[in-house]
Amino acid sequence: MPIKGSLESIGKYASLMPRIFTLPDRPRMFFREYINHIYRLGLGSLPIVFIVSFFFGAVVVAQLKYNILESWMPGFSVGYAVREMMLLEFSSTVMCLILSGKIGSNIASELGSMRITQQIDALEAMGVNSANYLILPRITSMITIMPALVTMSILASFIGAYVVCGMTNILSFDTLTYGLRFHFHIWHLWASLIKSEVFAFIITSVPAYFGYTVRGGSQEVGRASTDAVVTSSVLILIADLALTQLMMS
């Protein structure tokens, strides 16, 4: 039964995509919703992105310096490790996992509430493509703003690294800067941005599907929100493994 239910969900998700990705009937209304969701989903996530990344960068520097690095290892390797961790995994994958909980649950519960209160049915009765009207602005806005969130995450982690170095004097600024710049490959940044775009699609389209197709009452909306976050997180990890093998091999 679980396998059958999963296959049925995959089929319904795939069949929903053509309804979403059509030309909007009212471009001006679509653009207004697009800008609104950039502000709500994207810019509204900046505080959590900055705070988590700031402290992650600070903690990683402290942990590496105090607990991992041996006396024979050069100090600049701390900055090098922080940069690689942020570029290759944290700012793209881990940050998107965090955002999937915030954004995914918001989208699923919002659309689920609209479904059970028959607002979506009212749109359909008026001849509106509700999937396109409600879901496409959310997907496109998150895909647009995600590179900015990833860039903010990387910069915030570097700021955290410099702050902890300045406050504790565990590493000089020059040594940290040299490590951050040591053997930098621009492709690592591009790979991080590419992965984040795929994850942005996952953390908007999957919760939108669960919320849009929910049936029942408020209890089912809560269950759909939970399923949306769990499914999005698993898909992000699977996509991360596949994209890493594809782009880094």
Side-chain angles (χ1 to χ4, degrees), residues 2 11-13 18-19 24 35 47 51 64 67-68 71 74 81 108 129 152 178 181 189 200 205 239 242 249:
K12 290 181 178 179
Y13 174 82
R19 292 188 58 200
I35 297 299
I51 293 172
L64 288 175
N67 300 319
I68 298 178
S71 59
N129 182 350
M152 170 63 74
Y178 181 79
R181 299 174 62 183
L189 176 60
S205 64
S249 59

Side-chain angles (χ1 to χ4, degrees), residues 75-87:
F76 72 82
S77 57
V78 173
Y80 175 79
V82 170
R83 188 197 71 208
E84 293 301 289
M85 291 175 66
M86 297 305 298
L87 287 180

Side-chain angles (χ1 to χ4, degrees), residues 58-98:
V59 168
V60 168
V61 167
Q63 289 283 7
L64 288 175
K65 184 60 179 177
Y66 289 133
N67 300 319
I68 298 178
L69 291 184
E70 301 292 341
S71 59
W72 56 269
M73 298 183 71
F76 72 82
S77 57
V78 173
Y80 175 79
V82 170
R83 188 197 71 208
E84 293 301 289
M85 291 175 66
M86 297 305 298
L87 287 180
L88 296 178
E89 283 303 318
F90 183 85
S91 291
S92 57
T93 306
V94 179
M95 188 54 61
C96 285
L97 285 172
I98 295 173

